[in-house]
Amino acid sequence: LFTIFLFCSCDNESNGQIPPNVDKYTLIWADEFDYTGKPDPAKWTYEIGQHRNHEKQYYTDSLKNVRVENGNLIIEGHKTRFPNPNFVGTRDTDWKKNQEFLDYTSASISTENLAEWKYGKIEVKAKLPKGVGQWPAIWMLGKNIDKVDWPKSGEIDIMEQVGYEPDVVHGTVHTETYNHTKGTQKGSTVPIVKPYDEFHVYSIEWTPEKIDFLLDGKVYFSFTNDHKSENEWPFDQPFYLKLNIAIGGDWGGINGIDDNVFPQK
């Protein structure tokens, strides 16, 4: 249920600045999902397993959890009994290793090591899942994350939503200075009409000077480069795109998980 466009005005004459006339954008990458089966392996890769935020799902590359059909990319979360391949024992202190079975599966795909971009306009047309415990996200991470780790790599959350606040979406940046572990993240929320029933367009316009966050073409938050250091602005490097549905976790699971809503996509 995602359509992705990436526009870029990053030529020598524009010096990375987005022109005032959107028609001047040049399309440099897209996936219209005009095929069937697994996401295009030339464009998408998978996260497998448990990764962050004490989320309750196990990410898989199964067609049950992620597939393309009828012109849409579908990411689907399921309530299930899934054997945890990393299980060590119930007394292990690592949250990824102390559950023999996990209760949910979902999918997370990205363009990591396949396509990254610096500056431009990125648009994603999507319909979101519905229900308490759902945590869908359209986001980006700095390509250098393996070298400097998070949050120094930077993170751009084009869209996040938590199921217990179904009619609000969030746009946020995280950096070494500004991030949620310190409670200093920079972002904003915007009300939205039935994102679980209707498609909306989530986008950013990203230049060397600022990142604008847009819902259906209207800016609701801007993060400005104050030219201090990379700790505040790590956004002068390529980033890759990620799409996922998390279930539960430190934010999505604050009010629990409604098991009656599954499957959700």
Side-chain angles (χ1 to χ4, degrees):
L1 294 173
F2 298 87
T3 303
I4 293 92
F5 302 89
L6 186 132
F7 300 81
C8 188
S9 58
C10 309
D11 53 39
N12 292 332
E13 293 182 1
S14 66
N15 194 28
Q17 297 296 320
I18 289 183
N21 185 348
V22 71
D23 292 336
K24 293 182 180 178
Y25 285 117
T26 300
L27 178 65
I28 63 171
W29 189 95
D31 197 339
E32 294 286 355
F33 304 112
D34 51 356
Y35 51 92
T36 299
K38 286 187 172 292
D40 185 347
K43 294 180 176 178
W44 301 103
T45 186
Y46 304 89
E47 284 190 299
I48 301 295
Q50 298 170 279
H51 289 272
R52 54 192 161 263
N53 303 319
H54 301 97
E55 296 161 9
K56 300 300 183 182
Q57 80 289 334
Y58 192 93
Y59 284 135
T60 85
D61 61 356
S62 166
L63 288 172
K64 182 178 180 180
N65 294 120
V66 57
R67 61 192 179 276
V68 177
E69 60 185 31
N70 299 321
N72 294 316
L73 168 68
I74 295 176
I75 294 176
E76 189 167 306
H78 285 264
K79 168 72 174 173
T80 188
R81 182 174 169 86
F82 189 85
N84 182 4
N86 298 314
F87 177 68
V88 173
T90 57
R91 295 185 179 182
D92 197 280
T93 57
D94 188 335
W95 66 278
K96 300 176 184 178
K97 299 178 180 179
N98 58 21
Q99 297 179 77
E100 186 175 2
F101 294 92
L102 300 174
D103 294 327
Y104 311 93
T105 60
S106 185
S108 176
I109 65 173
S110 85
T111 66
E112 184 178 12
N113 297 321
L114 297 173
E116 296 96 10
W117 311 277
K118 183 176 76 170
Y119 314 135
K121 181 173 183 176
I122 299 171
E123 292 185 344
V124 181
K125 184 178 182 182
K127 186 190 295 185
L128 306 183
K130 183 179 182 180
V132 175
Q134 307 298 309
W135 184 1
I138 301 165
W139 53 304
M140 304 182 78
L141 286 172
K143 184 178 180 179
N144 67 347
I145 190 169
D146 290 339
K147 296 179 180 179
V148 303
D149 211 349
W150 185 95
K152 197 172 183 67
S153 62
E155 176 179 330
I156 305 171
D157 297 323
I158 300 173
M159 187 291 305
E160 278 188 290
Q161 185 224 38
V162 286
Y164 62 86
E165 294 179 330
D167 298 308
V168 174
V169 293
H170 303 250
T172 316
V173 299
H174 298 274
T175 72
E176 182 72 13
T177 300
Y178 309 123
N179 65 78
H180 75 271
T181 64
K182 299 177 180 179
T184 56
Q185 72 274 13
K186 298 290 186 178
S188 186
T189 61
V190 61
I192 188 170
V193 178
K194 298 181 179 179
Y196 37 83
D197 289 337
E198 301 173 359
F199 282 92
H200 292 271
V201 177
Y202 308 95
S203 56
I204 59 169
E205 293 187 0
W206 168 23
T207 77
E209 298 301 321
K210 66 177 180 174
I211 303 173
D212 286 336
F213 290 74
L214 301 88
L215 172 63
D216 294 329
K218 296 181 180 179
V219 177
Y220 67 92
F221 171 63
S222 295
F223 178 70
T224 302
N225 184 1
D226 56 15
H227 299 282
K228 290 183 178 178
S229 74
E230 290 184 357
N231 289 336
E232 290 78 27
W233 180 271
F235 304 114
D236 292 325
Q237 62 155 330
F239 275 60
Y240 58 88
L241 182 67
K242 296 173 68 70
L243 309 172
N244 69 282
I245 300 176
I247 300 168
D250 296 336
W251 186 18
I254 287 177
N255 288 346
I257 301 170
D258 183 358
D259 287 342
N260 295 315
V261 303
F262 289 95
Q264 280 294 314
K265 62 185 179 181

